[in-house]
Amino acid sequence: MAQNKAEMTNKFRTYVRKMADYKEAVAVLSWDVMTCAPVRGKEQRAEVIGMLSTELFKLGIAPEMGEMLDNLSDTDTYEALDPVTQAMVRELKKEYDKNKSIPADLFQAYTVLTAKAQVIWEEAKRNNDFVAFQPYLEQIIDHLNQFIDIWGYEGHRYNTLLDRYEPGVTVEMIDPLFADLRKKSVELLERIQANGKPSDTSFLRKHYPAQAQREFSKFVLQKIGYDFTAGRLDESAHPFSTGLNLGDVRITTKIYEHDLQMALYSSIHEVGHAIYEQNIAPELAGTLLWEGASMGIHESQSRFWENIIGRSEAFWSCFYSEAAAMFPGPFAGVSVNAVYRAVNQVQPSLIRIEADELTYNLHIMLRYELEKALITGDLRVADLPGAWAEKMSDYLGITPPNDAQGVLQDVHWSGGDFGYFPTYSLGNIYAAQLEAALSRDIPDYREAVRQGEFGIITRWMKEKVHRHGKMLLPAKIIREATGEGINATYLIAYLEKKYTDVYELA
Amino acid sequence: MAQNKAEMTNKFRTYVRKMADYKEAVAVLSWDVMTCAPVRGKEQRAEVIGMLSTELFKLGIAPEMGEMLDNLSDTDTYEALDPVTQAMVRELKKEYDKNKSIPADLFQAYTVLTAKAQVIWEEAKRNNDFVAFQPYLEQIIDHLNQFIDIWGYEGHRYNTLLDRYEPGVTVEMIDPLFADLRKKSVELLERIQANGKPSDTSFLRKHYPAQAQREFSKFVLQKIGYDFTAGRLDESAHPFSTGLNLGDVRITTKIYEHDLQMALYSSIHEVGHAIYEQNIAPELAGTLLWEGASMGIHESQSRFWENIIGRSEAFWSCFYSEAAAMFPGPFAGVSVNAVYRAVNQVQPSLIRIEADELTYNLHIMLRYELEKALITGDLRVADLPGAWAEKMSDYLGITPPNDAQGVLQDVHWSGGDFGYFPTYSLGNIYAAQLEAALSRDIPDYREAVRQGEFGIITRWMKEKVHRHGKMLLPAKIIREATGEGINATYLIAYLEKKYTDVYELA
């Protein structure tokens, strides 16, 4: 019997390892398309990616998989499994049940719909034509509601969608957090606009040669703790991070020669994701648990490095002399403190991905509230542009001149990714909670940043967050790291402190 | 019934398309390992490549494949198929029969043996220790002989091995060609060494900055006809070309800053392979016929561009001013004719891959003769180093000081690739035949080279060679392009003419 269990476990783990290998192949091919592939080869490459993704999906819902999961989920058997295999069974069974419960023709129709919708969305955005996209969005919402009915839900219908990206987190948990954060953010923004002392940011838009930017980013990333023997930095239209395997976690950036911040902060953002994956426990490789706990926890790492560390005065104390040596023209006569202030300027704007640290969350909440209302039917798709404009005005005091710069700006909805947006703000909330815990555990960590001793931080993050991979739920990681549940007050306090300082508010 | 046949064909072609997709995935992952992947990610990447290769192999020998091939090979059905599907059935049935006929445990043992042998060979080469490699080579030869017995053979036993790389070509065809080429090459080498007027090559080893070399190679490749919207040039330890798909055929090169020839001629060599694949008929994409007709035909294209064109005076007339502008120091006071002579100097040497155009074939014949003798048992592995030294002395007048620079220099034998070497010289023979036919069809083609109008050549090659992909056997391609069978006299005449000119022989 024990023999039998060991065999069963081995068979299951070998099977999952093969799935992980397929996943890696898809990730390598996708990286290649984004960074390297010549334009004429991309269409056929997409076919290969599609074929391999289908094979991976089929492995996940194969009868053989169902049988293994049934056997391993049997209470006695499950209790006797090692913790890693238990987590694998838990995660794969959840996926299996979800995917098997959807009728094949419905799933197929949805796949075709979202593929088509993404093409239509691109055109609609280019042509500023919401009406062209509207029927697709309506159908996507209709499909998602069918899925919610099949999968079931507790509390709010939207919870089932949220769970795909942030397992265990619910509307009931988020709503009060977001309400508080939104109120405080809007107030803070109003104080900045009324009484803040703006800084000179003109040096940020001087000429920064591409090659020097590349080298400076590499210098910073290496110093922070990114292992270049297990990764690489390239350039792509949209910066991203991709964990191919334990020894190969790559990032990309994007360089504007008249903008210091684009390449630097997108590199630091992506490297936050990458350092996370480089530090997942090696025994999780090939188990499908070798990934982040959730989108929100992943984002907490990128935002922590990008904003909390990367936009701190301590960070610029550390890197100022290197930056001044590499960009002598733009940095001439600019002090460390002036850099710190410049990279923390706030300006309400239309486009989420260009937003500053304070207003970013307002963009997210707007989307989150609209998504919930679309799913429940409280908001009709036809009324979406109006609702968008109203909330933009309420939260940010500006309204988009057209839908391309409004409701059509993001790709997410065309792919059916409802429930994804809130994880961005959850990432900011988690990041501030983690920073508070870090500064309790290591009170002088800012001095370490000033000295360039980042190891003290990455070791702490590795211990508290990274090593767990997908073994633990996000709320559990936060509780174990910080001693409490998800809590937005740390982010609010952090923002108030930073902007009081930067804008010399009373 | 007609309906049935169409369905059968569609099913077969969809199945094969999936195989082609797997092949593309393996090729992309392999390219990535050779050019991009960080060192710590390579081992796990090899597992993914192995998994996908196994899936591809399994598709090729699956019962479903056997059944489709049986049905489609039925004479009436076969005759009614379109020519592309016929060729697919022919090629895939040949592979299927070969692979199915080998007992699974024998095949598995051979796979393990060659994987191990390649590791042992690397160590043996590093340690100059032939004895360590000897038992592995003996076992590989033993396995190959078992395969030959299973697959059968006509004429010489070696023909079965040769057929894997150069279908339809036999020892009986090659032996007389090679005997003549060897005799004439040795005589020509002796004349050069006795009476040739050597040229100054010192400028070739001056400083050529890497970035300028990259740009010069790109300039040349683009001019020759390589489509960079369907390919790219990177760097790797060993230059190679890889056809990923119709719109994505990549090459790599290797740059030495004190050697003009390494990067330039390896780029041109590889681009010969790449232009071949970029010009295969698009309707062969996804059929597994979207590849070269044979290793020899492939090599004819790389050698044609590298040596016949790239080392011609017309080529240097075309590119001299660009080279002189990019490398003003080294090219100062060096004439077009001096460059032409310098890149055509002959020097017997120990290492095949460093050999000049004349002595290269002697390295190949030596290996070909030893391979045949090893397979028939006329030569024992233990006696190989001695036999190697003897032939080196006979053909090239030099002997290796150790086995690392002798019998252990090439990777091929450790991977079981007996039958591969002769295709390199067949490539040279084909290339010279094609050049002769080209100059009959387009007598002033050298003037076009001088003017940089390479399209006239690539269009001719596309018509005669490239577009056919793997539809035709190599000998048929040569016959249709040149009007005769495989014939070494063109290569001999070409070499005699070139070296009489370069060395001012009487």
Side-chain angles (χ1 to χ4, degrees):
Chain A
M1 192 64 184
Q3 173 65 19
N4 219 346
K5 276 185 191 165
E7 261 173 40
M8 207 192 290
T9 307
N10 279 342
K11 192 182 154 206
F12 174 67
R13 294 191 65 144
T14 302
Y15 189 97
V16 174
R17 186 166 193 100
K18 186 173 178 177
M19 292 176 71
D21 285 346
Y22 268 103
K23 199 172 158 223
E24 179 170 342
V26 168
V28 175
L29 267 65
S30 303
W31 174 87
D32 188 81
V33 166
M34 305 292 228
T35 60
C36 282
V39 59
R40 292 186 50 210
K42 289 187 187 189
E43 194 176 323
Q44 159 59 23
R45 185 67 33 76
E47 174 172 318
V48 179
I49 291 172
M51 183 280 285
L52 295 172
S53 303
T54 305
E55 291 300 307
L56 173 56
F57 182 78
K58 278 154 73 177
L59 284 170
I61 56 161
E64 190 181 352
M65 179 57 128
E67 205 176 299
M68 286 190 292
L69 288 171
D70 270 355
N71 291 335
L72 292 167
S73 306
D74 170 82
T75 312
D76 281 356
T77 311
Y78 186 82
E79 294 301 328
L81 294 174
D82 64 279
V84 173
T85 309
Q86 282 184 340
M88 291 167 70
V89 171
R90 177 193 78 209
E91 289 297 320
L92 283 153
K93 188 154 172 41
K94 187 171 165 184
E95 276 302 293
Y96 177 88
D97 289 343
K98 273 207 171 159
N99 290 327
K100 284 296 277 188
S101 62
I102 308 247
D105 56 347
L106 180 62
F107 186 81
Q108 173 67 11
Y110 179 69
T111 305
V112 172
L113 172 64
T114 50
K116 177 87 182 167
Q118 285 175 65
V119 177
I120 298 288
W121 163 75
E122 264 187 49
E123 280 175 30
K125 182 178 175 179
R126 199 163 43 237
N127 303 331
N128 186 30
D129 180 8
F130 178 72
V131 171
F133 181 52
Q134 185 183 322
Y136 291 89
L137 187 53
E138 285 166 349
Q139 286 180 62
I140 285 171
I141 290 166
D142 180 58
H143 273 81
L144 291 174
N145 270 314
Q146 290 183 61
F147 296 164
I148 293 170
D149 288 333
I150 292 169
W151 292 332
Y153 58 95
E154 286 179 38
H156 200 285
R157 290 181 69 78
Y158 185 82
N159 286 341
T160 295
L161 302 179
L162 192 50
D163 188 72
R164 295 193 297 174
Y165 307 101
E166 204 63 21
V169 172
T170 64
V171 166
E172 293 73 15
M173 289 160 77
I174 292 182
D175 273 354
L177 300 175
F178 276 16
D180 196 26
L181 177 59
R182 186 183 61 236
K183 183 163 167 288
K184 297 288 173 38
S185 296
V186 171
E187 283 170 13
L188 183 54
L189 178 59
E190 284 166 0
R191 283 173 60 207
I192 289 169
Q193 290 180 318
N195 307 313
K197 186 180 159 202
S199 298
D200 180 14
T201 59
S202 59
F203 76 96
L204 292 175
R205 290 182 298 279
K206 290 197 172 160
H207 185 243
Y208 293 85
Q211 187 52 27
Q213 288 205 55
R214 249 171 238 126
E215 281 168 33
F216 183 57
S217 283
K218 282 193 182 173
F219 179 82
V220 170
L221 303 183
Q222 188 132 31
K223 195 95 178 167
I224 283 177
Y226 180 57
D227 179 357
F228 273 98
T229 68
R232 46 183 290 138
L233 173 66
D234 294 274
E235 283 152 50
S236 61
H238 304 284
F240 66 95
S241 160
T242 178
L244 305 173
N245 68 42
L246 188 64
D248 192 354
V249 183
R250 303 181 187 184
I251 63 173
T252 70
T253 189
K254 182 178 183 173
I255 298 175
Y256 291 149
E257 289 215 317
H258 287 274
D259 178 0
L260 173 65
Q261 295 196 83
M262 172 54 81
L264 177 63
Y265 285 112
S266 66
S267 296
I268 298 177
H269 179 98
E270 299 308 334
V271 96
H273 289 301
I275 289 175
Y276 184 178
E277 298 191 350
Q278 285 188 334
N279 284 312
I280 296 174
E283 63 264 31
L284 298 182
T287 64
L288 293 176
L289 301 169
W290 187 81
E291 53 180 64
S294 69
M295 301 306 299
I297 296 290
H298 233 309
E299 199 70 7
S300 78
Q301 297 306 300
S302 54
R303 298 303 172 118
F304 175 81
W305 284 104
E306 178 191 356
N307 290 329
I308 297 182
I309 302 295
R311 285 192 163 90
S312 68
E313 192 167 9
F315 176 90
W316 280 107
S317 290
C318 173
F319 289 108
Y320 181 84
S321 63
E322 185 72 19
M326 298 194 84
F327 312 114
F331 269 64
V334 179
S335 69
V336 170
N337 189 264
V339 181
Y340 161 65
R341 282 166 192 259
V343 299
N344 281 300
Q345 293 298 294
V346 166
Q347 178 64 55
S349 64
L350 297 169
I351 306 298
R352 174 184 59 88
I353 59 169
E354 294 168 4
D356 57 71
E357 196 178 350
L358 175 59
T359 59
Y360 189 90
N361 294 313
L362 297 171
H363 287 270
I364 293 306
M365 287 163 194
L366 172 155
R367 287 159 178 74
Y368 167 67
E369 289 158 19
L370 296 176
E371 283 191 356
K372 282 192 299 175
L374 287 167
I375 290 296
T376 56
D378 292 337
L379 175 65
R380 294 183 322 138
V381 173
D383 298 330
L384 185 55
W388 183 286
E390 199 176 319
K391 282 193 192 285
M392 280 298 286
S393 172
D394 285 355
Y395 302 165
L396 289 156
I398 54 176
T399 50
N402 56 51
D403 289 333
Q405 290 175 276
V407 70
L408 288 173
Q409 69 182 266
D410 297 305
V411 68
H412 304 57
W413 291 341
S414 70
D417 288 327
F418 278 66
Y420 191 126
F421 281 123
T423 69
Y424 292 122
S425 281
L426 284 169
N428 288 329
I429 290 171
Y430 298 155
Q433 288 190 262
L434 290 167
E435 190 275 339
L438 172 68
S439 76
R440 278 196 303 273
D441 290 354
I442 307 170
D444 60 349
Y445 90 87
R446 282 187 186 276
E447 187 50 34
V449 170
R450 220 173 285 275
Q451 303 302 323
E453 289 158 8
F454 293 93
I456 203 167
I457 301 174
T458 42
R459 279 191 297 275
W460 187 90
M461 280 293 183
K462 179 176 179 179
E463 170 66 21
K464 302 292 181 185
V465 180
H466 302 169
R467 67 186 174 96
H468 300 301
K470 214 178 165 60
M471 289 285 287
L472 306 180
L473 287 174
K476 176 150 183 165
I477 287 178
I478 293 303
R479 181 166 295 281
E480 289 191 356
T482 70
E484 63 183 312
I486 306 174
N487 186 338
T489 58
Y490 296 95
L491 177 59
I492 294 166
Y494 159 83
L495 292 169
E496 283 179 346
K497 183 161 183 296
K498 177 183 265 193
Y499 292 111
T500 300
D501 182 24
V502 168
Y503 280 98
E504 300 179 24
L505 300 174
Chain B
M1 191 64 184
Q3 173 66 20
N4 220 344
K5 273 183 191 166
E7 262 173 37
M8 207 192 291
T9 305
N10 279 342
K11 192 182 153 205
F12 173 67
R13 292 190 67 144
T14 302
Y15 189 98
V16 174
R17 188 166 192 99
K18 186 172 178 178
M19 291 176 70
D21 285 346
Y22 268 103
K23 199 171 157 223
E24 180 171 341
V26 169
V28 175
L29 268 63
S30 303
W31 174 86
D32 187 81
V33 166
M34 304 292 229
T35 60
C36 282
V39 58
R40 290 186 49 208
K42 290 187 185 190
E43 192 175 326
Q44 160 59 21
R45 187 67 33 76
E47 173 171 319
V48 179
I49 292 173
M51 183 279 284
L52 295 172
S53 303
T54 304
E55 292 299 307
L56 174 57
F57 182 79
K58 278 154 72 178
L59 285 170
I61 56 162
E64 189 181 355
M65 179 57 130
E67 206 177 296
M68 287 189 292
L69 289 171
D70 269 356
N71 291 335
L72 292 167
S73 305
D74 169 81
T75 312
D76 281 358
T77 310
Y78 186 81
E79 293 302 326
L81 294 174
D82 64 281
V84 173
T85 309
Q86 282 184 338
M88 290 166 72
V89 171
R90 178 193 78 209
E91 290 297 321
L92 282 153
K93 187 155 170 44
K94 188 171 164 183
E95 276 301 295
Y96 178 87
D97 290 342
K98 272 205 175 164
N99 290 327
K100 284 295 278 188
S101 62
I102 308 248
D105 55 347
L106 180 62
F107 186 80
Q108 172 68 11
Y110 178 69
T111 306
V112 172
L113 171 64
T114 49
K116 176 88 183 170
Q118 285 176 62
V119 177
I120 298 287
W121 163 76
E122 264 186 48
E123 279 176 30
K125 183 178 175 178
R126 198 163 44 238
N127 303 330
N128 185 29
D129 180 7
F130 177 72
V131 171
F133 181 52
Q134 184 181 324
Y136 291 89
L137 187 53
E138 285 166 348
Q139 286 179 62
I140 285 171
I141 292 168
D142 180 59
H143 273 81
L144 291 174
N145 270 315
Q146 290 183 61
F147 295 164
I148 295 170
D149 288 333
I150 291 169
W151 292 333
Y153 59 96
E154 286 180 37
H156 199 287
R157 290 182 69 78
Y158 186 82
N159 286 341
T160 295
L161 301 179
L162 193 50
D163 189 73
R164 294 192 298 175
Y165 307 101
E166 204 63 20
V169 172
T170 63
V171 166
E172 293 74 15
M173 290 160 76
I174 291 182
D175 273 355
L177 301 174
F178 276 16
D180 196 24
L181 177 59
R182 186 182 62 234
K183 184 164 165 289
K184 297 287 172 40
S185 297
V186 171
E187 284 170 12
L188 183 54
L189 178 59
E190 284 167 359
R191 284 172 62 208
I192 290 169
Q193 290 181 316
N195 308 315
K197 189 181 155 199
S199 298
D200 180 14
T201 58
S202 59
F203 76 97
L204 293 174
R205 290 182 299 279
K206 289 193 172 162
H207 185 244
Y208 293 85
Q211 187 52 26
Q213 289 205 55
R214 249 173 238 126
E215 282 170 31
F216 184 58
S217 282
K218 282 192 181 172
F219 180 83
V220 170
L221 302 183
Q222 189 132 29
K223 195 95 179 166
I224 283 177
Y226 179 58
D227 179 358
F228 273 98
T229 67
R232 47 182 291 139
L233 173 66
D234 295 274
E235 285 153 48
S236 61
H238 304 284
F240 66 96
S241 160
T242 178
L244 306 174
N245 69 41
L246 189 64
D248 191 355
V249 183
R250 305 182 185 182
I251 62 173
T252 70
T253 189
K254 182 177 182 172
I255 297 175
Y256 291 148
E257 290 215 315
H258 286 274
D259 178 0
L260 173 65
Q261 296 197 82
M262 172 55 81
L264 177 63
Y265 285 112
S266 66
S267 295
I268 299 176
H269 178 98
E270 299 308 334
V271 96
H273 289 300
I275 288 175
Y276 184 178
E277 297 191 352
Q278 284 188 334
N279 284 311
I280 296 174
E283 63 264 31
L284 298 183
T287 65
L288 293 177
L289 301 169
W290 187 81
E291 54 180 64
S294 68
M295 301 305 301
I297 297 290
H298 234 308
E299 199 70 5
S300 78
Q301 297 306 300
S302 54
R303 297 300 172 121
F304 174 81
W305 284 105
E306 177 190 357
N307 290 329
I308 297 181
I309 302 297
R311 286 194 162 89
S312 69
E313 192 168 8
F315 176 90
W316 280 106
S317 291
C318 173
F319 289 108
Y320 181 86
S321 63
E322 185 73 21
M326 297 194 84
F327 312 114
F331 269 64
V334 179
S335 69
V336 171
N337 189 264
V339 181
Y340 161 64
R341 284 167 191 257
V343 300
N344 282 297
Q345 294 297 294
V346 167
Q347 179 64 55
S349 64
L350 297 169
I351 306 298
R352 174 184 62 86
I353 58 169
E354 294 167 6
D356 57 74
E357 197 179 351
L358 175 60
T359 59
Y360 188 90
N361 295 311
L362 298 170
H363 287 272
I364 295 305
M365 288 164 193
L366 171 154
R367 287 160 178 73
Y368 168 66
E369 290 159 17
L370 296 176
E371 282 191 355
K372 283 192 299 176
L374 286 167
I375 291 295
T376 57
D378 292 338
L379 175 65
R380 295 184 320 141
V381 173
D383 298 330
L384 185 56
W388 183 286
E390 199 176 319
K391 282 192 193 283
M392 281 296 288
S393 173
D394 285 355
Y395 302 164
L396 289 157
I398 53 175
T399 50
N402 55 51
D403 290 332
Q405 289 174 277
V407 70
L408 289 173
Q409 70 183 264
D410 296 306
V411 69
H412 302 57
W413 290 342
S414 69
D417 288 329
F418 279 65
Y420 191 127
F421 281 122
T423 69
Y424 291 121
S425 281
L426 284 168
N428 287 328
I429 290 170
Y430 298 155
Q433 288 190 263
L434 290 166
E435 190 277 338
L438 171 69
S439 76
R440 278 195 305 273
D441 290 355
I442 308 168
D444 60 349
Y445 89 87
R446 281 184 186 278
E447 187 50 33
V449 170
R450 222 173 285 273
Q451 304 301 325
E453 289 158 9
F454 293 94
I456 203 167
I457 301 175
T458 43
R459 281 191 296 276
W460 187 89
M461 279 293 182
K462 179 177 179 177
E463 171 65 22
K464 302 293 181 183
V465 180
H466 302 169
R467 67 186 172 96
H468 300 301
K470 213 179 165 63
M471 288 286 286
L472 306 180
L473 287 174
K476 179 152 182 163
I477 287 178
I478 293 302
R479 181 166 295 282
E480 290 191 356
T482 70
E484 62 183 315
I486 306 173
N487 185 338
T489 59
Y490 297 94
L491 177 59
I492 293 165
Y494 159 83
L495 292 169
E496 283 180 346
K497 185 163 181 294
K498 177 182 263 191
Y499 291 112
T500 299
D501 182 25
V502 168
Y503 280 99
E504 300 179 24
L505 299 173

